[in-house]
Amino acid sequence: MKILCPTDLSHHSKIALEYAIHMANDFKAELHIVCAYEVIKRTGSLIDLEDVVRKNTEEDLAKLLSGVAPLIVSDYLPISKVLNGPAVDAILNYAR
């Protein structure tokens, strides 16, 4: 069994993540935690923000996961991934 838990790194999504962790523990399921970001590209921009946003999102996701790590008691470690693109599209593509 696999469980997909998207997060926007908010307080409410942390609660959903905690619930997903408990379900993964109970069912010995593989837990996938994904977070999507999107950087709108504009012509004439002097800097490329994509690398900065990706790095910040990865750091924020790692911080969130370290906060809930004590809840993980199954043998399966969660798989976490930062996705690039509109959240709905990125999450659905990952799920496929």
Side-chain angles (χ1 to χ4, degrees):
M1 173 185 272
K2 295 180 182 181
I3 297 172
L4 175 60
C5 183
T7 179
D8 63 1
L9 305 170
S10 69
H11 171 72
H12 294 291
S13 67
K14 181 182 179 193
I15 294 168
L17 175 58
E18 291 172 355
Y19 184 77
I21 290 170
H22 289 298
M23 284 181 52
N25 289 338
D26 291 345
F27 293 109
K28 307 226 181 312
E30 185 177 280
L31 178 59
H32 293 254
I33 304 161
V34 297
C35 183
Y37 72 95
E38 179 180 15
V39 176
I40 299 172
K41 305 238 182 201
R42 299 185 192 268
T43 58
S45 178
L46 297 176
I47 59 173
D48 184 9
L49 293 176
E50 187 168 333
D51 291 336
V52 173
V53 173
R54 179 177 193 78
K55 182 178 181 240
N56 288 342
T57 304
E58 288 171 346
E59 290 171 356
D60 291 345
L61 181 59
K63 185 177 177 181
L64 174 67
L65 294 176
S66 69
V68 296
L71 300 176
I72 302 166
V73 296
S74 81
D75 294 334
Y76 299 102
L77 292 177
I79 298 166
S80 63
K81 182 120 176 133
V82 173
L83 310 171
N84 183 7
V88 173
D89 296 335
I91 295 165
L92 289 174
N93 286 334
Y94 184 85
R96 284 187 205 116

